[in-house]
Amino acid sequence: MNPKAASQHMDKIVSLCKRRGFIFQSSEIYGGLNGAWDYGPIGVELKRNLKNYWWRMMVHEREDVVGMDGAILTHPEVLTASGHVGGFSDPMIDCRSCKAHLRLDQLIEKKGIKQCPNCGGKDLTEARQFNLMFETHLGAAADESSIAYLRPETAQSIFVQFKNILEVSRKKLPFGIAQIGKAFRNEINPRNFTFRSREFEQMELEYFCRPEQGMGLLEYWKEERLRFYENIGIPRDKLHVKAVPDEERAFYSKGTYDIEYDFPFGVQELEGVAYRTDYDLSQHQKASGKSLEYFDEEMKQKFIPHVVEPSAGVDRTVLALICEAYAEDEAPDEKGKMETRIVLRFHPRIAPIKCAVFPLLKNKEPLVAKAKEIVDLLRPHMYIFYDESGAIGRRYRRQDEIGTPFGITVDFETMGEKDPKLRDTVTLRERDSMKQERVRISDLLQLLSMRIA
Ligand code: ATP
């Protein structure tokens, strides 16, 4: 996509997200808070479905992974030991002409001269390091002794709790600890909608192993993670695996892959899969003075485990899911005339609402009562939306725009008025093909459960 078309395409997505309740600018009525986003009624469902599926695949469907949920406020010594206090920074430059604050890698270069991407200005300050962590103070005394940080990644609480979790879970290597939660980075330039935010969520697994297993597990987790994205509807040909070159990798990492997605604004990182060696546990052992070693009973050996970390962004994946699902096609309006239809083709597994139920007419009591019976039948098993207002075509279109994969309509045939054989059957409409099939009410639960699993 050329830059102009890409930006128009993103504008349509951002506008749909607001119009249909996926994502709003945070503090919008006060002018907005840069780099922070609020998820609306539909967005929160999509986000939860994504997190639940990650948890299911990474924790519940495995014998070798347990979960945890750590605090966001973090002791400064944790982040000093991990290297974040000293080194978690981006090189930053100011443009003296337009006063923009820029990341060094955002500058453009023309004829060997660096320029501001906003105004073309060449009067730039020297690069200086800008630490991305948010600092706060615990309690009433706002001095050095009360400093705490909002965690810049979820990983560190996993390392710090390694020993406790090892003891309570009684796992043997290799095993993993998973966590989903908020992380905070004071990004110099939040941009591309939610892609780079200052407050975001991560889904991280720290998978501990023997040193000789590290490189093999790096390959294994890269493949597992690709399988995850395919399972939620992101096709393999839109995903790219970048082997991060030596000079860009953290010094302690023996290998890192970035899993990238073809966003409309370019190919960009969704997730990093990194073999972090025994760096983090060793640092915390040194700094805390507490042993973080593992005793291998069979080998009669004590050592600090190595770790492979698949670290994904919730918000970036939500954005990728929306970009991937967005489509425009043609559908007939009320009078049979073809019109443009906006549809989000989400995989049913992550679709915010699984099924909408409509009585054909809202002023026909038996139709309404039957439709509500169906809602009661399905609601304990999936998120259902009931809608009786407006023409049926319009109701379908509203669901298409939020990606509801199935629509059930209760009509006069359901009441057996036209053909007694059709009593207690409904039409089931599929979002993408718009095909309708006649289904017995008693078969609905099994049929839908199979398709959304
Ligand atoms: P980037 O290079 O884009 O800044 P990163 O390599 O610093 O990302 P990691 O530290 O590896 O990111 O974090 C793991 C994941 O967390 C990323 O792949 C991304 O999905 C997510 N993430 C990191 N920073 C942000 C952010 N500012 N906004 C949204 N998601 C983020």
Side-chain angles (χ1 to χ4, degrees), residues 185 187 195-197 200 202 269-272 311-313 316:
R185 296 182 188 178
E187 298 282 358
F195 179 83
R196 187 173 298 288
S197 311
F200 55 95
Q202 291 185 315
E269 177 181 331
L270 271 183
E271 163 158 0
S311 168
R316 281 188 191 180

Side-chain angles (χ1 to χ4, degrees), residues 16-33:
L16 176 73
C17 281
K18 181 173 176 190
R19 192 168 74 247
R20 301 316 312 269
F22 283 90
I23 301 169
F24 307 118
Q25 168 82 68
S26 182
S27 311
E28 191 191 76
I29 61 169
Y30 291 99
L33 185 66

Side-chain angles (χ1 to χ4, degrees), residues 54-72:
W54 187 91
W55 199 262
R56 173 174 141 192
M57 200 169 152
M58 303 292 275
V59 184
H60 290 179
E61 290 181 357
R62 302 185 64 99
E63 294 283 333
D64 56 352
V65 176
V66 293
M68 73 164 280
D69 186 25
I72 286 170

Side-chain angles (χ1 to χ4, degrees), residues 283-301:
Q283 288 294 101
H284 289 303
Q285 172 164 296
K286 235 185 283 163
S288 67
K290 307 269 168 17
S291 164
L292 298 178
E293 283 176 322
Y294 173 87
F295 181 65
D296 190 317
E297 312 232 353
E298 276 163 38
M299 310 270 224
K300 303 283 176 247
Q301 246 181 3

Side-chain angles (χ1 to χ4, degrees), residues 2-281:
N2 68 50
K4 193 165 168 221
S7 133
Q8 283 169 351
H9 187 71
M10 272 315 288
D11 287 347
K12 284 188 188 174
I13 288 174
V14 173
S15 139
L16 176 73
C17 281
K18 181 173 176 190
R19 192 168 74 247
R20 301 316 312 269
F22 283 90
I23 301 169
F24 307 118
Q25 168 82 68
S26 182
S27 311
E28 191 191 76
I29 61 169
Y30 291 99
L33 185 66
N34 199 4
W37 300 93
D38 295 338
Y39 288 76
I42 302 300
V44 70
E45 298 298 331
L46 178 62
K47 203 178 184 197
R48 269 173 189 258
N49 291 344
L50 168 66
K51 290 191 281 184
N52 288 346
Y53 187 66
W54 187 91
W55 199 262
R56 173 174 141 192
M57 200 169 152
M58 303 292 275
V59 184
H60 290 179
E61 290 181 357
R62 302 185 64 99
E63 294 283 333
D64 56 352
V65 176
V66 293
M68 73 164 280
D69 186 25
I72 286 170
L73 289 172
T74 308
H75 198 298
E77 283 178 33
V78 170
L79 294 164
T80 304
S82 66
H84 286 87
V85 171
F88 191 58
S89 50
D90 276 343
M92 179 180 157
I93 281 194
D94 297 329
C95 168
R96 291 198 183 92
S97 311
C98 72
K99 312 283 180 239
H101 305 300
L102 302 160
R103 254 166 60 153
L104 183 62
D105 61 5
Q106 288 180 288
L107 295 181
I108 48 172
E109 200 166 321
K110 281 196 186 146
K111 295 187 188 143
I113 300 173
K114 294 219 179 332
Q115 296 185 0
C116 169
N118 296 342
C119 71
K122 299 181 192 88
D123 190 4
L124 306 167
T125 62
E126 287 293 305
R128 62 189 184 283
Q129 290 301 320
F130 174 74
N131 194 300
L132 300 180
M133 283 203 297
F134 283 98
E135 194 179 290
T136 187
H137 292 274
L138 295 185
D143 57 24
E144 278 289 303
S145 69
S146 65
I147 289 178
Y149 295 98
L150 304 189
R151 63 181 176 194
E153 58 178 28
T154 63
Q156 293 307 320
S157 53
I158 299 182
F159 296 127
V160 171
Q161 292 298 351
F162 169 74
K163 210 55 193 255
N164 277 334
I165 293 176
L166 179 66
E167 270 162 28
V168 296
S169 63
R170 296 168 46 236
K171 293 280 176 208
K172 298 225 159 40
L173 289 186
F175 82 97
I177 304 175
Q179 178 167 211
I180 299 178
K182 290 267 186 175
F184 300 81
R185 296 182 188 178
N186 198 1
E187 298 282 358
I188 298 166
N189 283 121
R191 68 202 130 108
N192 290 331
F193 198 20
T194 56
F195 179 83
R196 187 173 298 288
S197 311
R198 289 183 168 136
E199 173 173 345
F200 55 95
E201 256 180 298
Q202 291 185 315
M203 307 183 278
E204 292 194 301
L205 170 71
E206 304 304 325
Y207 195 76
F208 300 98
C209 61
R210 296 182 57 85
E212 64 276 16
Q213 296 171 312
M215 289 310 276
L217 284 168
L218 176 66
E219 297 302 315
Y220 167 81
W221 279 110
K222 175 197 58 163
E223 291 303 321
E224 275 300 283
R225 299 302 304 142
L226 289 169
R227 198 162 68 82
F228 170 84
Y229 289 110
E230 288 185 81
N231 288 354
I232 56 172
I234 300 187
R236 185 67 181 81
D237 63 348
K238 294 283 202 69
L239 296 166
H240 305 272
V241 177
K242 175 178 146 191
V244 180
D246 291 355
E247 63 280 10
E248 288 176 31
R249 247 184 3 240
F251 69 91
Y252 49 79
S253 169
K254 281 206 178 153
T256 300
Y257 290 115
D258 283 350
I259 299 180
E260 302 175 321
Y261 171 71
D262 260 330
F263 284 98
F265 44 84
V267 174
Q268 300 274 351
E269 177 181 331
L270 271 183
E271 163 158 0
V273 184
Y275 173 24
R276 297 172 72 123
T277 64
D278 60 355
Y279 174 76
D280 301 271
L281 287 182

